[in-house]
Amino acid sequence: MMESEGSMGRLLNIVTPLHTATKRDYMGRMNDDKIGCSLKAREYEADYWDGDRRFGYGGYRFIEGRWAPVARALIETYGLKDGSSVLDVGCGKGFLLYEMQKILPGLKVTGFDISKHGLANSHEQVRPYLFNHRAQDVYPYGDDSFDLVISLGTLHNLRLYELDAALKEIERVGKNKYVMVEGYRNVAELHNLECWALTAESILHSSEWIWLYGKLGYTGDYEFIYFE
């Protein structure tokens, strides 16, 4: 589905089932040297991915099939086929791109991330297509270079002026776009998000995110994960 110029995209439900399957101790994290842990997490290197859970993922290992439902949903939602191209902004270890390519072996995948550790420990099948880059810097691609540009759990780690740059680049290089960020709908979710988030710079109500997308000219689809 192509988005018409200037129109807002759709609110999707692709990652939420995976997100809600994990239980989180919000107050435990808040009371565990949160500032020190947050500073360590913001390096986005080994401690963040594969160190103690206090610093981030607590061991972000490849689990066969974990990302398959997300991969399948993206392929079906955007009608991707062999020969289609996908860019993942903030791809981490590339596990989602791998699962997408496993379903569609002819899919052309590309991804970038700021984490050298994440890229060095990415899935070996997609590693040749990943590189080190920041989401807010100009992407080395022409307009409409990709059939789909995705960004999951990355954009809320940017400040608003960086978000402006990143969203405009995503809009520019993608024919279709899908972004997922952390958001909140009420005071309880705001509290939990502030307790849990180690790296978020932009903590916004979902209505503020939607308003921001409109202001910045983003026409793609979007999703929010909440900390209930």
Side-chain angles (χ1 to χ4, degrees):
M1 170 194 167
M2 295 291 291
E3 297 296 345
S4 59
E5 192 66 37
S7 68
M8 273 301 283
R10 302 162 290 179
L11 174 62
L12 300 179
N13 183 51
I14 289 176
V15 180
T16 295
L18 192 60
H19 168 73
T20 53
T22 300
K23 296 286 175 273
R24 297 169 178 85
D25 178 6
Y26 299 116
M27 291 310 297
R29 174 166 283 187
M30 179 55 94
N31 292 322
D32 180 23
D33 185 24
K34 177 75 189 296
I35 295 170
C37 291
S38 182
L39 288 169
K40 179 56 71 176
R42 285 162 190 254
E43 296 171 7
Y44 295 109
E45 294 303 340
D47 286 313
Y48 173 72
W49 292 104
D50 295 312
D52 195 281
R53 176 84 159 142
R54 321 163 57 214
F55 304 127
Y57 286 106
Y60 193 73
R61 293 173 298 278
F62 178 68
I63 301 169
E64 193 78 42
R66 176 173 167 80
W67 285 97
V70 175
R72 198 170 299 111
L74 288 169
I75 287 167
E76 290 172 359
T77 300
Y78 296 101
L80 301 178
K81 51 190 182 294
D82 284 330
S84 296
S85 55
V86 177
L87 171 67
D88 188 347
V89 173
C91 65
K93 294 186 179 184
F95 296 162
L96 175 56
L97 289 176
Y98 167 72
E99 291 286 1
M100 292 179 78
Q101 202 174 56
K102 200 164 71 173
I103 297 168
L104 280 179
L107 187 68
K108 294 183 278 193
V109 300
T110 308
F112 64 74
D113 202 275
I114 59 169
S115 173
K116 292 182 175 65
H117 177 87
L119 295 168
N121 291 273
S122 59
H123 196 287
E124 59 187 16
Q125 185 168 310
V126 297
R127 195 174 300 157
Y129 313 114
L130 311 182
F131 63 100
N132 188 246
H133 195 73
R134 299 195 312 166
Q136 64 269 42
D137 292 341
V138 175
Y139 303 169
Y141 304 107
D143 298 356
D144 292 336
S145 288
F146 295 91
D147 294 305
L148 176 63
V149 178
I150 60 174
S151 183
L152 284 70
T154 293
L155 297 181
H156 52 247
N157 297 325
L158 304 180
R159 298 187 173 97
L160 289 176
Y161 56 87
E162 295 169 328
L163 262 172
D164 181 20
L167 280 167
K168 284 174 178 169
E169 281 299 278
I170 289 170
E171 179 72 23
R172 182 181 69 78
V173 305
K175 296 172 188 170
N176 291 283
K177 286 78 64 172
Y178 162 80
V179 300
M180 180 276 284
V181 295
E182 296 169 352
Y184 70 91
R185 297 166 292 194
N186 52 53
V187 171
E189 289 175 357
L190 171 61
H191 168 80
N192 291 342
L193 174 54
E194 289 178 328
C195 285
W196 191 255
L198 291 165
T199 55
E201 290 285 355
S202 297
I203 294 180
L204 304 173
H205 190 280
S206 52
S207 66
E208 293 175 303
W209 277 112
I210 292 168
W211 175 85
L212 189 64
Y213 293 154
K215 282 285 182 188
L216 299 180
Y218 175 70
T219 65
D221 299 328
Y222 52 92
E223 182 174 359
F224 306 107
I225 55 170
Y226 301 110
F227 295 85
E228 299 176 60

